[in-house]
Amino acid sequence: MSALAPPRTASTAATGSPSEPAPVRSGITVPAWVWAIPPVVLLALAVLYPLGSVISESFTGPDGGFSTRPYVDVLSSTRFRTALTTTVLIAVGSTVGCLVLGLVLALIIAFVPFPGSGSAGRFIDTYLSFPSFLITLALLFVYGTVGMANGMWTDLTGADSGPFTFLSTPWGVILAEVTFFTPFVLRPLLAAFAQIDTAQLEAASSLGARPARVVRSVILPEALPALVAGGALVLVLCLNEFAIVLFTGAKDVVTLPMLVYSSAILEADYTTACVVATINATLSIGLYLLYRSLTSRLGAPTDGGRRARP
Amino acid sequence: MGIRLDGVSVSYGGTTVLDSLDLTVEPGEFTALLGPSGSGKTTALRTVAGFVRPDSGRVHLGGRDVTDLPPYDRGVGMVVQSYALFPHMRVERNVAFGLRAQGVPRNEVASRVTEALEMTGMGSYARRYPRELSGGQQQRVAISRALAIRPKVLLLDEPLSALDARLRAEMTDELARLHRELPDLTVLHVTHDQGEALTLADRVAVLDRARLREYDTPRALYDRPRTAFTAGFVGSANLLPARLEGDRVRVCGLELPVSPEDLPAGTADGAGLQVCLRPHRIVLGPAEHTLRGTVTDLSWRGSVHHLTVDVDGRSVTVELAGHRTPPGPGGAVELGFDRDDAVLIPVGEEP
Amino acid sequence: MLVHDRLTRRAIQALFALLFLPLFALPLGVIVAASFSTGWSGALPSGPTLDNYAVAFGPQTLEALRVSVVTALVASVCALVIGTWAALSAASMGPKGRRIMDALFMLPVAVPTVVVGLALLVAFSRPPVLLNGTHTIVFLAHTVLVTAFAYQSVSAALTRLDPVYGQVAASLGARPARTLFLVRLPLLLPSLGAATGLCFALSMGELSATMMLYPPDWTPLPVRIFAATDRGALFTGSAFAVVLMATTLLVMFALSLVRTRAGHR
């Protein structure tokens, strides 16, 4: 019963009937939204105004007036189109990788536990507090042209160079993104698995269901909201990822954020940068809104992101 | 300071949780709000505390309309089921919290804290943190904290339901003692436990499905329930279908004489009624009125036997104390009761 | 337990090790190992040395570390204040108001970090407010980026906080401000500590927006790491990265001590 009752302090909207004596009031009660004004004003100045500036800059023609010309130019350039394709392919590929890997790891940690599996989960958690580019840096030592894998290959075969050259291709970016973003799938999954009643699993097993069947018919339906939400979040984060791509140093892997950076900083072409930024942001915000509505509809925890541990 | 609720209604998202509640608690009175979960009793208490604003109706404390007053200006003490002791404060600071909030002079606070803790026998625990106390001790501190501000009204929201049976009995005695020692304190106690309500309260308000069903002394509710709901919820009851025929009531082949004041208001001649018989008021063997039936079930509950008897196709429960050899299933029995133990109740839910 | 067969269980555990070790354990180990080496063209790094750390603790890198720590401290404190304020006011609103607040304050998570950097650069390179080339614009960018996470952490903690504490405090006569400062905020302290740690860590590792707008006299450590690796000094870069990780972990560890102390009382 008490769960039904949200805390509500007396509001100023009194509906006293005229026959009643004047109700006692204490001081002036301020409506809740008034307290939200200071942080919202700060947000408007530091986020909304700058984003507005980007949009207005993106519609500025060479003469300084309003123009859709920059969009026509950017959309028709092969550079942009290639970047868009690369970005989407890398993001989708990384997301699929994260989902598969996250699901497998979460299933093992939750249902086939072994000594140390819990700390492995916590270890993956600490990834969330490290910058993404460290992964690329590490991969340079492992699979880079002078790294561990190629070094072993040349030592063994006597060849001049090793076969591992994928690091400067989109595959290298995907590998790094899968490594870095898998925790974002793993955490909501582990949280969802923790909700599954072990009695339910034992009941299914005692009825003769094989493990694969238990996974399919009991565990996966429970995990689906977390999986969908985690996947959507990772897709947004992959679309936005910049540092990983920057660190691979590959000239031919240009994603949208990379294009924004090079247009603005290396070429000082702010209008083009703003056009690409607007398109990239629209894409990400759209997906993010989808993620929010999915999490609220599926009832998944909306804390799939870098939320603090309770 | 008395409490008066005038037509208080509360609804959340289209569901009415409290439907036009009228309730008056006299100054110094201990009133229990009794009902099953979802009956609206906690909501009623929360309108008095000020956490829920009624959609319509007014709340008065001591003759003053406090409907628009925020909780912190109402001066009512409150004790909740989860104790809600502030975990980061020692016991003494928990108890001092309300005193400081109300601006009690510094040099007075310490003595008031000691006094409040002594009242519940927790004087020697002042330096502890809540997590170092047992559930019962925490609840005593919570009561001290509420009493420290010397409220005129104390609200108890299922304060004993988190305790085990033994502690609950102990705390029930404790609350009864506090009520005796603080005769000016008006208490509103929400509970779903009829034993608690009957033991502690001067008057019991029975709520069911957002409505007040009955409001009377425990004795009257128990002996002369006016609704089938109260009869079944406060104690257990056999409800037998009956019919009014002139100055008699016909029930299971018996005829009981009735006087007009026994009848629920507005019962027309020939109308259906129910006869409420408490299981422990029925005796084996003939009495003023006697039903005949066959035993269908017998169970032993320690101090008493429960006998289920089929009377004209109706099942009647009888509670027998001190019978060494009660009749077993299949045996024919006579069930006797006095006219005074049969209470007439209308067929519908409404009083 | 789902799998009872011993052999299958071993196989599954082997699979876990096979996935886990190369993907997650290896990268961090590799960076630490590389930071003590001069070359890596075989199975193991070669040329053990401390020279990389001599560079890492040289004046230029130490200055970058100082810049990073100061930026992270300023950003996480500002983010904590603004995020907590926003989360508290959102919690006192109706569901509709809360949705609007959520959408507003989570916006920087959805927008690409590079775009946040570009937006601040474009907006504050022209009147009325000129911040381009100042330290302030770096503080501003980091604060914008981590406030979302502070808001999210505190909001989540607030929904977990039992409202009964605030209600009991109010019934004892405490006005909202007293309830906030003496009851609700102390109860939130562990979550606030966690949120601060998270914001600090994120700010310490922030590179994307920083690359867009850092002035030459305010170069955070991640930018130095990138500069080192970009010119091929991978091993020196690793030493920088180890210093960065160690500092981050140290501060988070200190904050977690505060947290457990607060939580234990």
Side-chain angles (χ1 to χ4, degrees):
Chain A
M1 204 168 11
S2 53
L4 278 173
R8 255 203 295 174
T9 50
S11 75
T12 46
T15 50
S17 57
S19 61
E20 285 284 330
V24 192
R25 300 260 187 103
S26 82
I28 306 145
T29 25
V30 185
W33 59 266
V34 172
W35 287 102
I37 291 177
V40 168
V41 166
L42 285 176
L43 183 91
L45 290 176
V47 179
L48 301 182
Y49 162 64
L51 288 179
S53 307
V54 166
I55 295 171
S56 87
E57 174 75 29
S58 74
F59 283 104
T60 308
D63 57 342
F66 176 84
S67 165
T68 52
R69 195 51 205 285
Y71 279 86
V72 176
D73 290 349
V74 167
L75 288 173
S76 62
S77 74
T78 14
R79 202 168 153 223
F80 170 76
R81 288 183 186 181
T82 318
L84 182 64
T85 321
T86 311
T87 311
V88 171
L89 286 182
I90 287 179
V92 172
S94 305
T95 305
V96 172
C98 287
L99 287 176
V100 173
L101 186 62
L103 186 61
V104 170
L105 291 180
L107 281 173
I108 296 175
I109 292 177
F111 299 114
V112 197
F114 53 89
S117 63
S119 44
R122 273 196 298 282
F123 180 78
I124 293 179
D125 256 16
T126 57
Y127 263 60
L128 302 180
S129 51
F130 288 132
S132 57
F133 58 79
L134 288 186
I135 303 299
T136 316
L137 182 59
L139 291 180
L140 285 175
F141 290 113
V142 182
Y143 302 109
T145 41
V146 292
M148 188 198 291
N150 283 319
M152 280 162 78
W153 179 269
T154 48
D155 286 353
L156 284 173
T157 61
D160 283 344
S161 60
F164 301 105
T165 53
F166 68 91
L167 211 54
S168 53
T169 70
W171 293 107
V173 177
I174 290 181
L175 177 65
E177 291 193 349
V178 167
T179 307
F180 187 70
F181 290 121
T182 294
F184 291 83
V185 178
L186 196 57
R187 294 186 78 185
L189 272 180
L190 285 176
F193 287 164
Q195 301 291 313
I196 298 181
D197 194 356
T198 39
Q200 214 180 327
L201 297 181
E202 277 157 16
S205 297
S206 71
L207 292 171
R210 304 185 142 271
R213 200 184 155 79
V214 176
V215 168
R216 207 172 55 236
S217 60
V218 180
I219 298 176
L220 281 190
E222 288 283 328
L224 194 66
L227 212 54
V228 170
L233 181 68
V234 168
L235 191 61
V236 175
L237 294 174
C238 288
L239 281 178
N240 295 351
E241 182 55 40
F242 169 71
I244 285 177
V245 187
L246 183 72
F247 262 69
T248 53
K251 295 282 171 284
D252 49 343
V253 183
V254 178
T255 59
L256 290 182
M258 209 50 203
L259 193 58
V260 172
Y261 169 72
S262 50
S263 303
I265 303 303
L266 306 180
E267 295 151 30
D269 179 358
Y270 284 96
T271 309
T272 303
C274 285
V275 173
V276 179
T278 308
I279 295 171
N280 192 356
T282 311
L283 204 62
S284 315
I285 292 174
L287 267 173
Y288 188 75
L289 291 179
L290 189 70
Y291 156 72
R292 299 285 296 193
S293 77
L294 280 178
T295 47
S296 62
R297 193 161 326 143
L298 296 173
T302 46
D303 50 6
R306 309 187 185 199
R307 207 198 80 199
R309 269 150 275 168
Chain B
M1 192 196 275
I3 305 168
R4 186 157 62 88
L5 300 181
D6 267 349
V8 168
S9 294
V10 178
S11 57
Y12 298 122
T15 316
T16 303
V17 288
L18 205 56
D19 188 2
S20 186
L21 174 67
D22 292 310
L23 187 76
T24 306
V25 183
E26 299 300 333
E29 196 176 25
F30 194 125
T31 285
L33 292 175
L34 178 67
S37 61
S39 58
K41 56 189 192 302
T42 296
T43 306
L45 178 115
R46 294 164 67 85
T47 60
V48 178
F51 304 133
V52 175
R53 194 178 189 288
D55 298 329
S56 61
R58 313 301 294 178
V59 179
H60 300 263
L61 287 175
R64 188 169 104 150
D65 184 340
V66 297
T67 317
D68 297 311
L69 216 56
Y72 48 83
D73 281 335
R74 295 197 181 191
V76 298
M78 185 158 116
V79 177
V80 296
Q81 181 182 347
S82 61
Y83 327 131
L85 293 180
F86 306 132
H88 56 291
M89 297 181 190
R90 291 180 195 278
V91 164
E92 55 189 2
R93 275 202 58 213
N94 261 286
V95 178
F97 184 87
L99 299 171
R100 293 201 179 148
Q102 302 196 338
V104 171
R106 228 158 240 286
N107 49 11
E108 240 181 78
V109 170
S111 62
R112 293 268 300 264
V113 168
T114 314
E115 175 196 304
L117 282 174
E118 293 299 342
M119 235 186 285
T120 57
M122 291 298 292
S124 51
Y125 295 89
R127 301 288 299 162
R128 303 268 190 104
Y129 279 106
R131 67 185 148 82
E132 299 167 334
L133 303 177
S134 70
Q137 291 171 330
Q138 291 192 36
Q139 195 56 289
R140 282 167 193 269
V141 173
I143 294 170
S144 293
R145 179 175 66 177
L147 291 177
I149 58 171
R150 291 181 187 157
K152 297 286 195 316
V153 170
L154 181 64
L155 305 177
L156 305 173
D157 187 1
E158 308 234 9
L160 309 183
S161 44
L163 304 174
D164 64 36
R166 223 185 54 133
L167 264 177
R168 197 180 314 163
E170 194 184 310
M171 287 304 290
T172 308
D173 292 346
E174 187 80 20
L175 286 176
R177 183 181 61 77
L178 284 171
H179 178 45
R180 279 196 306 276
E181 286 175 9
L182 302 167
D184 294 334
L185 182 67
T186 311
V187 184
L188 195 59
H189 178 172
V190 163
T191 179
H192 61 261
D193 181 308
Q194 46 150 319
E196 246 172 58
L198 295 181
T199 312
L200 288 168
D202 300 319
R203 279 200 289 173
V204 178
V206 180
L207 280 88
D208 178 47
R209 280 174 288 160
R211 314 271 315 246
L212 178 66
R213 299 294 163 183
E214 230 172 301
Y215 185 32
D216 215 327
T217 62
R219 197 76 233 177
L221 285 182
Y222 194 82
D223 289 345
R224 309 228 79 80
R226 279 182 289 126
T227 64
F229 178 79
T230 315
F233 196 74
V234 181
S236 49
N238 292 299
L239 294 173
L240 301 173
R243 184 164 300 282
L244 180 66
E245 289 174 3
D247 60 350
R248 328 231 115 212
V249 162
R250 184 173 288 279
V251 56
C252 295
L254 300 179
E255 284 193 353
L256 312 182
V258 285
S259 52
E261 62 267 25
D262 289 342
L263 286 171
T267 313
D269 194 13
L273 286 168
Q274 293 182 95
V275 168
C276 164
L277 277 176
R278 297 289 185 195
H280 68 278
R281 299 300 237 178
I282 303 176
V283 294
L284 275 190
E288 201 174 317
H289 298 280
T290 310
L291 295 164
R292 284 179 184 78
T294 318
V295 177
T296 54
D297 192 32
L298 172 71
S299 66
W300 180 60
R301 309 258 168 108
S303 58
V304 294
H305 282 95
H306 272 220
L307 206 60
T308 312
V309 180
D310 180 275
V311 179
D312 285 359
R314 307 258 155 209
S315 139
V316 174
T317 307
V318 183
E319 211 175 273
L320 298 174
H323 261 263
R324 278 173 207 279
T325 50
V333 285
E334 289 182 322
L335 305 177
F337 62 94
D338 287 353
R339 172 64 192 86
D340 282 350
D341 293 327
V343 181
L344 299 176
I345 289 173
V347 174
E349 287 283 339
E350 299 304 316
Chain C
M1 197 157 292
L2 198 57
V3 183
H4 297 274
D5 176 20
R6 207 184 136 112
L7 208 69
T8 321
R9 210 155 69 215
R10 281 286 144 78
I12 290 174
Q13 286 163 5
L15 172 73
F16 183 82
L18 206 69
L19 289 172
F20 184 81
L21 290 177
L23 272 173
F24 298 105
L26 195 61
L28 293 181
V30 158
I31 291 179
V32 175
S35 71
F36 290 103
S37 318
T38 48
W40 199 326
S41 49
L44 291 173
S46 53
T49 177
L50 285 175
D51 286 355
N52 297 322
Y53 283 96
V55 183
F57 289 110
Q60 203 188 26
T61 325
L62 276 187
E63 168 63 13
L65 180 65
R66 188 185 73 87
V67 166
S68 271
V69 170
V70 169
T71 308
L73 282 178
V74 170
S76 28
V77 168
C78 292
L80 195 71
V81 172
I82 299 167
T84 305
W85 188 323
L88 282 169
S89 53
S92 64
M93 288 181 179
K96 204 172 160 192
R98 212 171 306 172
R99 264 206 299 282
I100 295 173
M101 290 292 279
D102 278 359
L104 279 176
F105 280 86
M106 293 312 291
L107 188 64
V109 179
V111 177
T113 331
V114 173
V115 175
V116 172
L118 176 75
L120 292 170
L121 192 65
V122 169
F124 298 117
S125 296
R126 59 186 184 204
V129 188
L130 284 168
L131 292 175
N132 193 1
T134 65
H135 304 176
T136 315
I137 200 164
V138 180
F139 293 147
L140 188 63
H142 283 230
T143 305
V144 164
L145 289 174
V146 298
T147 297
F149 295 105
Y151 174 82
Q152 196 181 16
S153 299
V154 180
S155 286
L158 271 171
T159 56
R160 281 197 305 268
L161 183 67
D162 192 341
V164 80
Y165 289 107
Q167 292 173 350
V168 164
S171 81
L172 292 168
R175 302 189 150 264
R178 179 178 275 268
T179 304
L180 179 65
F181 286 106
L182 293 185
V183 178
R184 292 172 76 203
L185 283 181
L187 289 176
L188 286 175
L189 202 60
S191 308
L192 296 181
T196 316
L198 181 77
C199 292
F200 185 85
L202 291 175
S203 171
M204 282 293 285
E206 213 299 310
L207 179 69
S208 316
T210 315
M211 284 297 284
M212 301 292 292
L213 38 69
Y214 74 94
D217 63 338
W218 195 254
T219 312
L221 195 50
V223 178
R224 284 261 178 258
I225 298 175
F226 172 67
T229 59
D230 198 40
R231 63 165 195 270
L234 290 183
F235 297 94
T236 323
S238 302
F240 293 3
V242 171
V243 170
L244 178 76
M245 286 193 282
T247 313
T248 307
L249 285 180
L250 203 70
V251 172
M252 289 185 77
F253 177 69
L255 278 167
S256 80
L257 283 186
V258 176
R259 238 161 78 203
T260 35
R261 271 195 52 200
H264 264 276
R265 272 188 308 168

